[in-house]
Amino acid sequence: MFDSCPHIEPICCWATLRIERGAKEKNHHLYKPYSNAIIAKDPTSLEEEIKEIRRSGSNKDLDSASEFEMSDIFYFARRGVESIMDDEVTKRFSAEELESWNLLTRSNNNFHYISLRLTVLWGLGLVIRYGILLPLRVTLAFTGVGLLVFLTSVIGRLPNGRLKNLLSEKVHLMCYRICVRALTAIITYHDSENKPKNGGICVANHTSPIDVIILASDGCYAMVGQIHGGLMGVIQRSMVKACPHIWFERSEVKDRHLVAKRLSDHVQDKSKLPILIFPEGTCINNTSVMMFKKGSFDIGATVYPVAIKYDPRFGDAFWNSSKFGMVNYLLRMMSSWAIVCSVWYLPPMSREDGEDAVQFANRVKAAIARKGGLVDLLWDGGLKREKVKDTFKEEQQKLYSKMLVGTQEDRSRS
């Protein structure tokens, strides 16, 4: 069958070999894929996989992959199909899959009826969540936000000094804890001895806008963000009167030098609160940590990593901003059973000698992912709204061309 198309045989033989080897290793409990993806993969390089494809389809010694072979196309075709079937990036921007139904509508969209008993339980839960819990939580939320706006505005009229700072911290903690109660958040804090200190930067993985109050209910932080209008703008203006938060105009956010200077000036004053930053820049669905922006790590301040992990069995904290608006999202949160999460304070980290901002950011990200049991991904969270940069495509092209023609040093030796 393969005589008429000689290039099909190598890939078929190679695929058969991979399947047989995978089954054999799995039976011997040696099969350890590097992710929980649909397609199990061994961590191999481009050159190793292409050489394996060539050896599977030829009896020649092809260890020196220095010439183009038609079978090389199958490597790129297979990787493309795998990316379509099991995209490890875009699925991070949708709700996390659950092993069992938690009696919330989100996790049972495709199959509403399971049994009469579960239907009755779901109906009772619906009455409890929307008839009892939701009104109480909305009342608490308005109380917390109202007190925050009123009390910070009053404190803002006091002269700067120790009394003002003390009252500001007490008010912020009280109001944030009321807002946490509005979500029925059950939070477990670990390793509190590593909590961020003044003059430092607290960085954490980002799942939801409520990450702010989850952390701020255990300690005070200086917030960083863009100035908004409406109700959010009123809250920001009142908060900055009582505490030195860092708010930027829309035009200023694009000026990296201005942002870096404002942050640097803040951390140099040891009397000011630690800055809270989410370097991913967007919400990820509680399963992984994506690329950290290097700006926060280029200032030279001590970094205090924090890992946040939510338990999706009681309520999904992930905010899919492309699907739900803020009000809709908050209502879904307040109508869930509870928000259960764990917070780990990691030991402070600083840039090492010879380490640039990108390497430092990756080291901090890896520590957060390891502690929170999250997948450490190199992809930029900006892919949620943007296309893949051409540099990623060019990188694969460079790797393949390097395998064929070698480096400049190799060519000069030959």
Side-chain angles (χ1 to χ4, degrees), residues 37-205:
I38 298 172
I39 302 173
K41 310 166 190 175
D42 297 319
T44 55
S45 64
L46 177 148
E47 186 173 357
E48 290 174 348
E49 293 200 27
I50 288 182
K51 284 182 179 180
E52 185 175 357
I53 292 175
R54 293 183 178 185
R55 284 195 296 268
S56 300
S58 175
N59 295 324
K60 299 178 181 179
D61 183 12
L62 296 174
D63 287 337
S64 58
S66 59
E67 294 182 1
F68 171 76
E69 291 285 335
M70 186 63 71
S71 59
D72 297 350
I73 297 175
F74 292 115
Y75 166 79
F76 298 101
R78 179 179 59 82
R79 291 297 296 270
V81 173
E82 284 181 356
S83 298
I84 295 172
M85 293 178 60
D86 191 25
D87 183 6
E88 67 177 4
V89 177
T90 55
K91 67 182 180 181
R92 310 296 175 178
F93 305 131
S94 58
E96 180 182 2
E97 293 293 334
L98 300 179
E99 295 182 359
S100 60
W101 184 32
N102 59 359
L103 297 181
L104 296 175
T105 306
R106 178 193 68 80
S107 55
N108 196 31
N109 282 330
N110 297 326
F111 187 65
H112 294 279
Y113 181 80
I114 297 177
S115 67
L116 180 59
R117 181 182 299 177
L118 283 180
T119 302
V120 172
L121 289 176
W122 179 83
L124 291 175
L126 192 70
V127 173
I128 294 173
R129 290 188 290 113
Y130 284 91
I132 301 175
L133 296 181
L134 181 59
L136 291 175
R137 291 169 176 173
V138 171
T139 303
L140 282 174
F142 276 105
T143 302
V145 173
L147 285 175
L148 180 65
V149 172
F150 174 73
L151 294 177
T152 51
S153 299
V154 172
I155 294 174
R157 297 180 179 274
L158 299 176
N160 293 330
R162 182 175 298 179
L163 177 62
K164 180 178 180 180
N165 293 337
L166 178 62
L167 291 176
S168 175
E169 291 184 13
K170 296 295 184 182
V171 166
H172 277 83
L173 282 174
M174 179 187 70
C175 295
Y176 283 131
R177 286 171 180 173
I178 293 175
C179 293
V180 163
R181 299 297 184 273
L183 298 170
T184 314
I186 303 172
I187 313 168
T188 304
Y189 297 97
H190 304 272
D191 306 321
S192 296
E193 66 274 9
N194 297 324
K195 287 175 60 175
K197 296 179 174 57
N198 291 359
I201 298 177
C202 174
V203 298
N205 58 299

Side-chain angles (χ1 to χ4, degrees), residues 316-356:
D316 184 26
F318 169 62
W319 181 32
N320 188 348
S321 57
S322 60
K323 188 176 181 181
F324 302 107
M326 177 61 75
V327 175
N328 193 345
Y329 166 74
L330 290 176
L331 288 176
R332 289 169 61 87
M333 293 274 287
M334 292 182 182
S335 62
S336 63
W337 294 111
I339 300 299
V340 181
C341 73
S342 297
V343 176
W344 290 272
Y345 295 108
L346 279 67
M349 302 174 68
S350 302
R351 279 179 64 172
E352 299 177 350
D353 295 336
E355 187 178 44
D356 60 24

